């Protein structure tokens, strides 16, 4: 298009443009006239309709555009909205042509109704037919059942003539046939099949495929619904063979529909799922015969297209055939594979893979036939250089052996050695994917075929009989992978060995000792890159065989008499520490304890001789030996016989060796939690409590000046708790009495009393009722002590007693309930802040046991609990809210009804609204939590009264009160139904709108989030009308932000859906228009042609890239060699590359490594969103805790991770005096000027550079002049600086 003159800047982008040669195709922007014409396409006159079966021709009749589709006007839409709001409409709209579609009551056609506005011509035809058929059924008084639709559509199918209408009727029949009752289809089989076959024969050569594919689908559904007797008639098989013949059709959609139908008939016929179901479908043999004939007829052709189609069908049908037929099909597949056609071989392998993966019954695939197929597939092993075929072969053989192991274990084991040998050859492949796949195959076979049967074998030796012999051969094949020719794949070989050790190490350790020695020698070789893999493999051997077998095969070579300090096998000690379990405790006593003592004495000798380095080395070695003890205490096998010989040594180590104390304590905890499985073992370890507990008590009571640090004291206390679980209660009572005496002794220091109270806290739950009574008398004075630590620990004792599940503790609480109530009320005023948390917890356990007569006690506690909701301690606040909820449950128990009980409780809480400012804010928080927990037990009047009181509190001039009230409103908006809130929304918004300017500024973010919730709940216009004008700007901004976030969410969801569709290789039939319906025929044919051309190009490329591998070096290629098929490659053979160590670094062109330094992570502080705001509110009322909390001093005794957990040291962070001083400097900081801005040059270092960041906005043509000016100024400044520097250098050079 020619244009004269010059357009002003920016106008060109707004003009409509089209591609060259497409100016007359469409007008994509202005389509109002086309839409108007399209709207007339469906419409009918408003008078009474006279639709009949001939209405399917309506599409052609309405082309003149003489009728209009009545579209609802704006006023009608308004009436609809009012009707949705509850006001009944008084006007009935007139019926349209699509009434039969829009109000169709049968759910079968929901897919059609969902997309009734589609622009697809085929779908418009479907809508027209469905509307006509529905109206015909209604005119005859039908109920719109599936049977009625089936009958009407079958009549319509015989009457229509145009291909479009035929496809539409066939599609609707395809939908409804699946829901028609089976007896109807059985009775009408003859007529329906005759009609379908007539259409199939007439449409077989048609250019349009829509009608044919849907009729084939209808035919398959009809056959699937027939009973077993129907398949004895020749007519049924004749119809089935008609469907089967289309499985090799040239049109992809027709072929797929036929193949899908055949599979559904053979695998999903209804009689195949009954009690008297046959082993296979009656049509299975004839189907297999058809497939074999088609393959033999077309298998030798150049393109082999039909063969590929049949192989695709066999991939799904082989598991459905009887055994004799399966054997014939497999023989045919093997013959076809001899053609060395890459695609045919791959499809045949996929067919075998699906046969084995289906886990068919013996009637389909006997074990002998499975084994024969395995043997035959060895003749088709691809070359190690052929990537994809070799991966397919490995996967197929893996599934074949797993299936054979399921059918017959002995036969599977007999075939495994050969596969192991073949898989090990794959480790020599230059492709890393092949090596990984081979390793994964071996690991899978070991875990699924070998591991389940290992318990049936005894100890396996080299001279063992048949089943063990196979295992020896398999291991020898894998062991050969440690030779040097496999060095590029040693990492994968070591992983396979690790799995072998885990699976078979317990029974096969005699044949694995040599391999263990080889592994250890290999690890000592210089620059060995796979030390971690060797450690894991040896560790697996330790776990399965035990440390004794390992050390017999590979001695530690450490005895304390070494002349040199090399210790080549000291790496075994960390491996043993990490992997030993289920071993003999006696072996540690007999082997490692003397070794540790020898090493310790040698370290002392070196210390006395002044050789500190040698002493440190030996001291470290003996410590490493002791670290093996927790592993030996994990599931030991000889606790009853060996612990008594070890107990004395452990006691001395705890008391005399502070360096070994944490390790020994961890070992004792591990032994108690994981080693004592039977009562006899617990009693054996528990009888030494009289020896261990006094030692542990004394160590815990040592102050830090005497050598006990905090980490060790925590470990000791955890050990005391663990040992008390297996200690005799009478012994615990004795220890408790002695502790009480020391506690009241005037000679005890404050540290000693605090330590004793910690021990009393641990012992109290295990004492009897009498001892608890005396203990209560001892600690009662400390409840009012002025020493905060003593008071807190006294409450901790009460907490443990009240919370203990043991019968003596519960009996003590019941018998002393009155005394406990009185003591707790008396100590209310003297309770210190640190003691609040255990005090509230103690009250919680007491309130749980109270009855209605104790209501005054709970009433007296209400003020304290409410005030504690704002305690400094996080634990105290949490316990206060928990106690508050429990008090609510108590009042519900007290009755008489839950509603009345809650109302009485809320009246007590309301009193706090008349107190101080702090009391009011705490009370609002308490009411928020109670409303959240008990909203179902509150009457409507109570909720309304609560809302009114909170709205009044919004007028307060105290920020804490207003903050709590706003939090209550947010919780209310989340919990209360919209209809109930609608009555109070005006009062709530009026109260929020009357906030003072100071409150509005301070809580602007909270108010913004609150308004967003109001808008989501009640709509923008209502909220805007109820708020003052100064809030309207904020509301408009919220609406824009909400719309923007909705749009972004939709875009992210669409992008996620797109990624999911791209990642999914094969989509099932979905609900989108393109998947449900056939689009326009032109688009279908174009898509099919595009797919076919793509397939042809891909196949031609693959076929053209089949290479013939020549002989090695000068050896000629022998075509008579039985393994010559391995010379035909689908992958181009190249020079063999060694698989070096992967370092994951980029390499420059000249071979240098490119290593990027890690950039500092910067945490961006973003504004809190609405969800975070809600989380803050819930946290304020005790419903959520912070992500990170302070570590509790006391840990649960049954925590399995406690044994291996190390207590972290203090790490600085934040700002002020706690900032981290040794922070790494930022990148480029060495060039920063100390006097001014910018960078400076450093002598002997590279020059710093300043880079101009790229910005897309700088590409704007209108701002080009401005950008050029900036860069010109930058260049001029650089030039001036260079000139000045040159002048200065010249001045300096002058004499």
């Amino acid at each position: 298009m020619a244009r004269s003159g010059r357009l002003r800047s920016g106008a060109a982008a707004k003009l409509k443009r089209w591609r060259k040669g497409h100016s007359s195709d469409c007008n994509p922007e202005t389509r109002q006239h086309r839409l108007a014409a399209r709207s007339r396409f469906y419409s009918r006159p408003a008078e009474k309709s006279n639709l009949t079966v001939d209405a399917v021709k309506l599409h052609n009749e309405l082309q003149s555009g003489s009728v209009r589709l009545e579209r609802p006007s704006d006023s009608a839409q308004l009436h609809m909205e009012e009707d949705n709001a509850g006001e009944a409409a008084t006007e009935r709209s007139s019926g349209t042509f699509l009434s039969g579609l829009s109000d169709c009551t049968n759910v079968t056609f929901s897919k059609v109704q969902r997309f009734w506005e589609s622009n697809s011509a085929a779908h418009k035809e479907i809508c027209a037919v469905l509307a006509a058929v529905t109206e015909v059924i209604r005119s005859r008084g039908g109920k719109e059942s599936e049977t009625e639709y089936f009958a009407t559509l079958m009549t319509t199918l015989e009457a229509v003539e145009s291909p479009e209408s035929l496809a539409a009727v066939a599609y609707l029949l395809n939908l409804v046939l699946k829901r028609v009752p089976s007896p109807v289809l059985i009775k009408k089989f003859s007529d329906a099949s005759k009609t379908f076959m007539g259409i199939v024969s007439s449409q077989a050569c048609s250019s349009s495929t829509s009608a044919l594919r849907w009729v084939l689908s209808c035919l398959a559904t009809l056959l699937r619904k027939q009973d077993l007797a129907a398949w004895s008639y020749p007519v049924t098989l004749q119809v089935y063979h008609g469907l089967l013949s289309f499985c090799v059709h040239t049109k992809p959609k027709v072929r797929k529909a036929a193949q899908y139908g055949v599979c559904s008939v053979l695998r999903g016929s209804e009689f195949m799922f009954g009690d008297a179901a046959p082993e296979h479908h009656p049509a299975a043999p004839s189907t297999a015969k058809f497939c074999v004939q088609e393959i033999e007829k077309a298998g030798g052709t150049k393109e082999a297209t039909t063969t590929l189609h049949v192989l695709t069908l066999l991939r799904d049908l082989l598991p459905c055939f009887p055994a004799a037929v399966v054997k014939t099909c497999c023989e045919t597949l093997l013959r076809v594979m001899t053609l060395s056609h890459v695609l045919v071989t791959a499809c045949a392998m996929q067919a075998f893979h699906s046969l084995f993966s289906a886990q068919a019954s013996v009637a389909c695939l006997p074990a002998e036939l499975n084994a024969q197929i395995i043997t035959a597939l060895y003749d088709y092993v691809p070359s190690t250089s052929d990537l994809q075929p070799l991966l397919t072969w490995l996967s197929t053989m893996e599934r074949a052996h797993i299936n054979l192991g399921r059918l017959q274990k002995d036969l599977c084991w007999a075939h495994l050695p050969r596969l192991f040998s073949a898989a090990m050859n794959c480790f020599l492949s230059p492709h890393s994917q092949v090596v990984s796949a081979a390793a994964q195959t071996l690991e899978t076979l070991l875990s699924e075929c070998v591991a389940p049967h290992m318990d049936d074998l005894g100890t396996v030796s080299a001279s063992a009989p048949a089943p063990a012999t196979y295992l020896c051969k398999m291991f020898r094949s894998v062991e050969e992978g440690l030779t040097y020719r496999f060095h590029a794949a040693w990492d994968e070989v070591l992983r396979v060995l690790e799995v072998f050790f885990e699976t078979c190490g317990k029974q096969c350790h005699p044949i694995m000792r040599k391999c263990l020695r080889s592994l250890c020698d290999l690890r000592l070789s210089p620059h060995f890159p796979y030390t971690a893999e060797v450690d894991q493999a040896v560790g697996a051997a330790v776990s399965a065989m035990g440390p004794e077998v390992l050390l017999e095969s590979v001695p530690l070579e450490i005895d304390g008499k070494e002349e040199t300090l090399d210790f080549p096998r000291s790496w075994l000690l960390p491996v043993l520490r990490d992997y030993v379990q289920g071993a003999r405790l006696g072996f540690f006593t007999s082997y490692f304890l003397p070794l540790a003592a020898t090493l310790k004495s040698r370290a002392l000798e070196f210390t006395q001789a002044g050789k500190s380095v040698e002493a440190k080395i030996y001291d470290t070695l003996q410590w490493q030996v002791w670290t093996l003890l927790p592993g030996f205490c994990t599931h030991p096998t000889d606790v009853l016989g060996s612990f008594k010989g070890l107990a004395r040594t452990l006691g001395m180590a705890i008391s005399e060796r502070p360096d070994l104390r944490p390790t020994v304590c961890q070992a004792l905890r591990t032994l108690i939690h994981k080693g004592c499985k039977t009562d006899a073992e617990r009693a054996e370890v528990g009888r030494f409590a009289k020896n261990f507990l006094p030692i542990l008590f004394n160590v815990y009571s040592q102050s830090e000046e005497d050598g006990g640090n905090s980490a060790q004291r925590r470990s000791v206390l955890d050990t005391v708790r663990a040992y008390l679980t297996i200690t005799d209660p009478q012994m615990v009572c004795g220890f408790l009495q002695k502790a009480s005496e020391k506690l009241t002794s005037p000679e005890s220091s404050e540290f000693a009393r605090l330590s004793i109270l910690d021990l009393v806290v641990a012992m109290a739950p295990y004492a009897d009722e009498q001892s608890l009574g005396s203990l209560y008398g001892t600690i009662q004075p400390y409840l009012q002590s002025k020493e905060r630590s003593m008071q807190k620990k006294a409450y901790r004792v009460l907490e443990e007693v009240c919370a203990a599940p043991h019968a003596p503790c519960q009996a003590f609480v019941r018998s002393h309930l009155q005394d406990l109530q009185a003591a707790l009320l008396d100590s209310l005023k003297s309770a210190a802040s640190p003691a609040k948390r255990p005090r509230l917890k103690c009250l919680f356990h007491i309130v749980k046991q109270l009855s209605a007569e104790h209501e005054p006690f709970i009433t007296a506690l209400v003020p304290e609990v409410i005030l504690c909701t704002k305690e400094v301690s996080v634990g105290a606040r949490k316990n206060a809210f928990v106690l508050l909820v429990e008090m609510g449950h108590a009042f519900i128990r007290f009755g008489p009804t839950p509603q009345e009980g809650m109302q009485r409780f809320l009246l007590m809480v309301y009193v706090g609204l008349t107190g101080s400012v702090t009391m009011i804010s705490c009370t609002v928080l308490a009411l928020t939590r109670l409303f959240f927990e008990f909203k179902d037990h509150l009457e409507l009047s109570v909720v309304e009264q609560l809302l009114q009181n909170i709205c009044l509190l919004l007028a307060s001039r105290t920020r804490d009160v207003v903050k709590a009230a706003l939090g209550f409103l947010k919780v209310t908006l989340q919990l209360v139904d919209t209809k109930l809130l609608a009555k109070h929304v005006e009062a709530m918004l009026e109260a929020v709108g009357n906030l003072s300017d100071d409150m509005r500024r301070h809580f602007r973010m909270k108010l913004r989030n609150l308004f967003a919730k109001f808008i989501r709940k009640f709509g923008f216009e209502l909220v805007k009308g109820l708020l003052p004008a100064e809030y309207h700007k904020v509301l408009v901004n919220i609406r824009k932000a909400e719309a923007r976030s909705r749009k972004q969410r939709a875009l992210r969801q669409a992008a996620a859906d797109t990624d999911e569709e791209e990642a999914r290789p094969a989509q099932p039939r979905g609900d989108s228009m393109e998947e449900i319906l056939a689009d326009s025929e032109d688009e279908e044919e174009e898509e099919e042609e595009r797919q076919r051309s793509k397939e042809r190009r891909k196949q031609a490329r693959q076929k053209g890239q089949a290479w013939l591998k020549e002989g090695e070096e000068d050896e000629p290629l022998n075509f008579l060699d039985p393994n010559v098929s391995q010379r035909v490659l689908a992958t181009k053979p190249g020079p063999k590359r060694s698989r070096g160590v992967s370092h994951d670094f980029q390499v420059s062109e000249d071979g240098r490594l490119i290593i990027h330094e890690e950039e500092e992570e910067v945490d961006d502080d973003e504004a809190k969103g609405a969800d975070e705001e809600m989380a803050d509110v819930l946290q304020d009322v005790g419903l959520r805790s912070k992500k990170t909390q302070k570590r509790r001093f006391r840990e649960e005794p049954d925590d399995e991770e406690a044994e291996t957990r190390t207590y972290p040291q203090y790490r600085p962070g934040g700002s002020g005096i706690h900032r981290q001083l040794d922070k790494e400097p930022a990148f480029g900081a060495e060039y920063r000027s100390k006097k001014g801005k910018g960078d400076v040059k450093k002598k002997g270092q590279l020059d710093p550079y300043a880079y101009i960041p790229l910005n897309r906005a700088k590409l704007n043509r209108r701002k080009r002049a401005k950008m050029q000016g900036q860069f010109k100024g930058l260049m001029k400044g650089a030039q001036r600086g260079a000139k000045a520097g040159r002048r200065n250098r010249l001045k300096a050079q002058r004499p």
Side-chain angles (χ1 to χ4, degrees), residues 482-517:
L482 295 178
T483 57
Y484 185 74
R485 70 189 185 112
F486 292 92
H487 73 281
W490 270 347
D491 54 340
E492 300 291 348
V493 174
L494 289 171
R495 289 194 186 94
V496 177
L497 280 175
E498 178 185 351
V499 177
F500 225 126
F501 290 147
E502 290 176 355
T503 305
C504 314
K506 187 175 182 180
Q507 292 84 4
C508 301
H509 60 83
I511 64 173
M512 295 180 174
R513 294 174 183 249
K514 179 183 175 183
C515 181
L516 286 174
R517 288 192 291 270

Side-chain angles (χ1 to χ4, degrees), residues 1019-1033:
F1020 175 80
E1021 296 299 334
L1022 176 64
V1023 177
K1024 183 180 179 182
L1026 294 177
L1027 283 175
E1030 54 263 26
Y1031 287 100
H1032 290 178
K1033 188 175 180 181

